[in-house]
Amino acid sequence: MREFGSVKLAQWLCDVSVKFVLRVKQERYIQAEKSEYQRLIELGLMPGTGFYRSGVKVTKQKGFGLFDVAGYWKRKYRNNGTSEGWYLLTNVGSLKLAIASFKCRSGIEAMFKDCKTGGYNERK
């Protein structure tokens, strides 16, 4: 799962009152109120940790509103784990809900793959 959302898409979804969770790159700049810009990767996300920050600016470009940013990195278990965490741009209101919503995506993607390659796209 390596697709990344854009701030432009997030702004449009907010404008039409749609709840969303979009993965963003760890190099993305954010700015909390009255602080300097910093990259998401600089927030210290490590395996087994997460965070949720509300009302942050998520790009240096002008014309966009404030968003919530969630970070989550699943803990390692028996030396198994992911090589990087998730940085999520969202407006759902909590870390728990952002993670649960984003996890649903993997099941949906598997279903679409099955429909495309599992014999369900029968050609005549």
Side-chain angles (χ1 to χ4, degrees), residues 16-96:
V16 295
S17 301
V18 172
K19 296 288 185 186
F20 63 88
V21 179
L22 303 171
R23 186 170 180 197
V24 291
K25 293 182 180 182
Q26 62 188 5
E27 291 85 21
R28 169 121 4 233
Y29 281 97
I30 66 164
Q31 181 185 37
E33 188 178 352
K34 298 179 182 177
S35 67
E36 297 292 319
Y37 280 99
Q38 65 184 137
R39 293 178 189 253
L40 288 169
I41 196 168
E42 296 169 358
L43 297 178
L45 189 63
M46 300 181 319
T49 65
F51 65 83
Y52 195 89
R53 297 198 178 169
S54 298
V56 297
K57 195 172 178 184
V58 185
T59 182
K60 288 184 174 182
Q61 297 175 356
K62 294 185 179 188
F64 294 102
L66 302 177
F67 301 98
D68 296 349
V69 175
Y72 172 72
W73 195 338
K74 187 176 181 179
R75 71 180 181 92
K76 289 187 177 187
Y77 180 72
R78 294 186 180 180
N79 277 343
N80 291 325
T82 58
S83 60
E84 60 186 29
W86 293 338
Y87 296 94
L88 307 171
L89 181 62
T90 185
N91 64 351
V92 297
S94 74
L95 177 61
K96 187 175 182 178

